[in-house]
Amino acid sequence: MDNQKPQPSMKMSRLPVPPSRKRALSDENQELAAAPKRLKVSPVRVAASIATSRPRVAPAVALPKPQVIGRQSLQVMQTRNRMNTTAASTKPKVTAAAPAATSAPGKKRAAWDLKGQVTDMKDKVSYYKGQVQSLSEEKARLQSTTGQLQAQMQDLSQRNEDLSQQNEDLSRQLHSMETKLLSEQRKLLDSEREVQRLTALSQKQESELVAEKSLVQELRTTGDSMAQQLKDKEGRLICLEDEKSRLQTIVSEKSEEIIDLKERITQQDTQIYNLETERRRLHNTVQELKGNIRVFCRVRPTLPTEKASSAGHIVFPPSDEKAIVLTKMEESHVGRDKGQTVKYDFNFDCIFSPAASQADVFEEISLLVQSALDGYPVCIFAYGQTGSGKTYTMEGPEHLSMDTMGMIPRAIRQIFASADELKCKGWQYKFTASFLEIYNETLRDLLINRPDKKLEYDIRKVSSSSNDVHVTNLRYVEVSSVEEVHELLRTAKTNRSVAKTALNDRSSRSHSVFQLKIEGENSIRDVRTSSVLSLIDLAGSERLDRSLSTGDRLKETQSINTSLSTLGMVITSLCNKDSHIPYRNSKLTYLLQNSLGGNSKVLMFVNISPLEENFAESVNSLRFASKVNECVIGTARANRK
């Protein structure tokens, strides 16, 4: 078509054309005009695009020659031959670019023969469509062949990797076998050396064996004699085992008897404890009905620096647990004649020997302390000469422990424990504590470390209609636990007045008064109680001729003896039912007037010394205690609303 010369333009025929012919020609002209638009590309360009769209065959990959021998190398060579044959067969065949009809110049169409020209163009289009379809099929075939070749390539690569891995494994195995071979060679050399060593050792042991044989012979002889002795021992052992069996039977029987006795003892101890508790309760009931001041007598133990036989003049009759007897040999006034023995018998509500512990003493007063929670005013005080153990009884030693703590800390512990138990019954309690001392007829607050000298402490009635008294400017501390009260007791002990005298290295020079106000309320029963627990450690009485006090100590002794004398006068007036009781003669009796003459439960400890040199002071203390025990103050009444 490119060699055809352009045809000269032909003039249109002037013959008349029928209308139908005109419509056909116009349709053919429109189709011819639209054909170039649909094709848009010349046949040459179509052939060029088909040639460029053919898939390129990937060049054969040069595989690394595996380091293997034998059948594997043969398989690799065969695989390469197959790949070369496949690549040669997939090369595209060159076809003619145009049909034979178009390569030679055909018959020319007339210019007016538009239909013939359209027909030629349709033939060409059909031809090119067939070419495009054949090329597309060739392209699909080549793509399929390429995929197969790529799969074969991947398979061969994987096989190559497997063969390389096998080669590495075989190399490692070879190296391992060489290492094992060297190790076996070393072991063989070591075995040869061990054989030589064992040979030498065997020769040595053979020589020793000869010596051992002679020793074995000697041991056999000795063994025969020992076997005979063993036989004798076995006979004796059989006899001892029989004896052991018999004794074990006896022990088993006795053990059962002991267990039975222990159970009976436990039951009896429980019964005794219950009876003792009932006895104390009934005794307290009797004393409350009598209205007497209860008196307990306690004899302190001798100190390590004192003679152990000092307490020989004090006798505790075994037939009467409430009696105490003091004996003394009086000298004859005639000359060398033997004097007579004088006895002083006393009876109190309870007697505590020097062997009694603090727990034993508190057990006897626990019911009295418990009644303070029930609304009864309770007063417990210790009386006796200096050095008789009053402070130890009421407070305890310097360093407290569970065994040595005195009546005050034990009473506080019981009060708070009982209050906690009563919470489940609807009771709520409020506690207020105070601690003062009466020194030379002057009141001092022991809960203040640095007291103000301008403050004055006076004992006054709460109101004109009430007999209750209180101390002005005194510190009242609300407490809620045992630890808080113990802290107050330690502060008070530090601030209390003590001094050294001829009779006592640490003598209390004042009367200490600890008071705990107890206010209870039961919202369930709508009941309120109010009471005061007073725990008092009186100063010790002294004789001036024995205490050898001078200066301030003399003034303190005189003040102490005066207040104790006033206490004796008040007790005497109460016993005699006098109309006037001299409470105001002393700060001590004025502060305790409600406890001594009111509706309180009162208990007095009379403490005496075990030393015979204090015989006279002990007798005076016991006489005063007997007078107090006879004092009737009336039946106690609980303060309930």
Side-chain angles (χ1 to χ4, degrees), residues 481-533:
S481 65
V482 177
E483 289 72 18
E484 292 180 2
V485 180
H486 284 181
E487 185 63 28
L488 297 179
L489 296 179
R490 284 189 288 269
T491 302
K493 179 176 286 189
T494 304
N495 297 331
R496 188 178 180 186
S497 300
V498 295
K500 181 178 180 180
T501 65
L503 297 177
N504 190 359
D505 291 340
R506 188 175 175 81
S507 176
S508 300
R509 313 308 295 167
S510 64
H511 309 299
S512 69
V513 181
F514 172 79
Q515 289 185 323
L516 183 68
K517 186 176 181 181
I518 305 172
E519 296 174 309
E521 180 180 2
N522 191 325
S523 57
I524 299 176
R525 300 181 180 180
D526 194 20
V527 178
R528 294 177 178 83
T529 61
S530 178
S531 62
V532 177
L533 174 64

Side-chain angles (χ1 to χ4, degrees), residues 334-353:
V334 179
R336 296 182 179 180
D337 296 341
K338 186 177 181 180
Q340 296 181 350
T341 300
V342 180
K343 294 183 180 181
Y344 299 89
D345 298 333
F346 299 95
N347 284 275
F348 300 104
D349 296 291
C350 192
I351 305 293
F352 298 103
S353 66

Side-chain angles (χ1 to χ4, degrees), residues 439-440 499 509 549-559:
Y439 176 77
N440 289 341
R509 313 308 295 167
S549 300
T550 58
D552 292 340
R553 303 289 86 78
L554 176 61
K555 183 179 179 181
E556 293 169 356
T557 303
Q558 292 174 344
S559 176

Side-chain angles (χ1 to χ4, degrees), residues 297-306 310-311 314 316 352-356 385-390 392-393 503-504 606-611 613-614:
C297 176
R298 186 180 189 185
V299 182
R300 73 165 176 84
T302 56
L303 302 177
T305 56
E306 300 170 346
S310 299
I314 302 177
F316 302 94
F352 298 103
S353 66
Q385 72 173 104
T386 181
S388 60
K390 300 182 301 298
Y392 180 85
T393 298
L503 297 177
N504 190 359
V606 55
N607 295 79
I608 62 175
S609 170
L611 303 181
E613 61 188 26
N614 296 325

Side-chain angles (χ1 to χ4, degrees), residues 427-450:
W427 283 97
Q428 297 293 331
Y429 288 94
K430 177 184 176 182
F431 303 98
T432 306
S434 65
F435 211 146
L436 61 84
E437 70 172 355
I438 303 174
Y439 176 77
N440 289 341
E441 288 300 304
T442 303
L443 300 180
R444 291 182 178 181
D445 192 347
L446 295 179
L447 300 182
I448 299 177
N449 293 324
R450 294 181 180 179

Side-chain angles (χ1 to χ4, degrees), residues 370-411:
Q370 183 67 29
S371 60
L373 284 175
D374 300 332
Y376 291 92
V378 177
C379 177
I380 301 174
F381 63 94
Y383 175 88
Q385 72 173 104
T386 181
S388 60
K390 300 182 301 298
T391 303
Y392 180 85
T393 298
M394 298 303 295
E395 299 180 10
E398 288 291 331
H399 303 287
L400 293 179
S401 66
M402 293 299 296
D403 296 331
T404 60
M405 64 172 56
M407 302 301 107
I408 296 178
R410 289 178 185 272

